[in-house]
């Protein structure tokens, strides 16, 4: 399996509850290396731009409000098969369906406020990393 990079976001519900360290431990324990990380406050417009793919979905407005409701931690994770591995560690979108031991099973509050975002494919990972970070900020 190739070494990949993926964009992760620790969402407002998790930063508000001081869960950044516990979530990062899950990534590192799974063999994912955090090669870039920053805590930022998104505006609702920036959240909307990031999640533009969901523009027509009924939850879009609520999602953008939520992502701008408190700081997030944007990060780049690197490792073998990092895109799929990260989504495994995150667990299913709805915490009620997430496997035991995953981030969402342990920490998510609801299907909307579900603690983490992870890119879902190589092309979206590349676009999402470029949205938050310059090449110089990725230190593998
Ligand atoms: P993400 O993009 O954040 O990593 O999550 P995902 O792939 O597991 O889920 P996706 O279908 O891409 O949805 C993006 C985010 O929108 C919120 N959502 N709310 N209220 C709802 O029914 C609902 N459905 C999705 C979640 O925050 C989800 O992670
Ligand atoms: Mg998604």
């Amino acid at each position: 399996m190739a070494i990949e990079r993926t964009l992760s976001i620790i969402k407002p519900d998790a930063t508000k509850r001081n869960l950044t360290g516990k979530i990062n431990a899950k990534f590192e324990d799974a063999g994912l290396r955090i090669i870039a990380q920053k805590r930022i406050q998104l505006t609702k417009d920036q959240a909307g731009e990031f999640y533009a793919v969901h523009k027509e979905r009924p939850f879009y407005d609520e999602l953008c409000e939520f992502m701008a409701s408190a700081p997030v931690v944007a990060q780049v994770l690197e490792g073998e098969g990092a895109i799929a591995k990260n989504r495994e560690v995150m667990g299913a979108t709805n915490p009620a369906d997430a496997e035991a031991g995953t981030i969402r099973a342990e920490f998510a509050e609801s299907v909307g406020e579900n603690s983490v975002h992870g890119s879902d494919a190589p092309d979206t990972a590349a676009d999402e990393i470029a949205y938050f970070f310059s090449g110089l900020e990725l230190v593998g």
Side-chain angles (χ1 to χ4, degrees):
M1 173 100 24
I3 301 288
E4 293 176 337
R5 290 175 172 179
T6 192
L7 190 279
S8 165
I9 302 176
I10 302 179
K11 293 182 178 181
D13 67 284
T15 62
K16 276 199 284 197
R17 287 177 290 147
N18 246 2
L19 293 171
T20 299
K22 286 189 173 137
I23 290 173
N24 280 349
K26 296 260 192 205
F27 295 141
E28 293 185 337
D29 288 349
L32 293 164
R33 185 178 299 279
I34 301 163
I35 64 162
Q37 176 165 261
K38 60 185 166 197
R39 182 176 172 97
I40 50 175
Q41 172 67 57
L42 292 173
T43 65
K44 190 178 172 189
D45 281 353
Q46 288 166 337
E49 194 180 356
F50 179 76
Y51 272 123
V53 62
H54 294 309
K55 209 162 25 194
E56 305 306 327
R57 308 278 283 275
F59 57 78
Y60 179 69
D61 192 64
E62 193 186 342
L63 174 62
C64 297
E65 288 273 1
F66 165 59
M67 292 300 286
S69 66
V72 299
V73 176
Q75 47 195 193
V76 179
L77 308 179
E78 183 182 79
E80 288 222 347
I83 296 167
K85 188 178 283 181
N86 179 39
R87 290 186 67 89
E88 255 173 61
V89 176
M90 289 163 58
T93 309
N94 185 342
D97 302 328
E99 267 188 55
T102 61
I103 292 167
R104 283 166 167 168
E106 280 190 30
F107 304 125
E109 302 198 293
S110 66
V111 64
E113 306 204 0
N114 59 2
S115 303
V116 278
H117 162 85
S119 307
D120 57 14
D123 57 338
T124 49
D127 289 350
E128 291 178 1
I129 289 169
Y131 186 77
F132 284 103
F133 296 97
S134 75
L136 282 175
E137 293 176 301
L138 309 178
V139 186

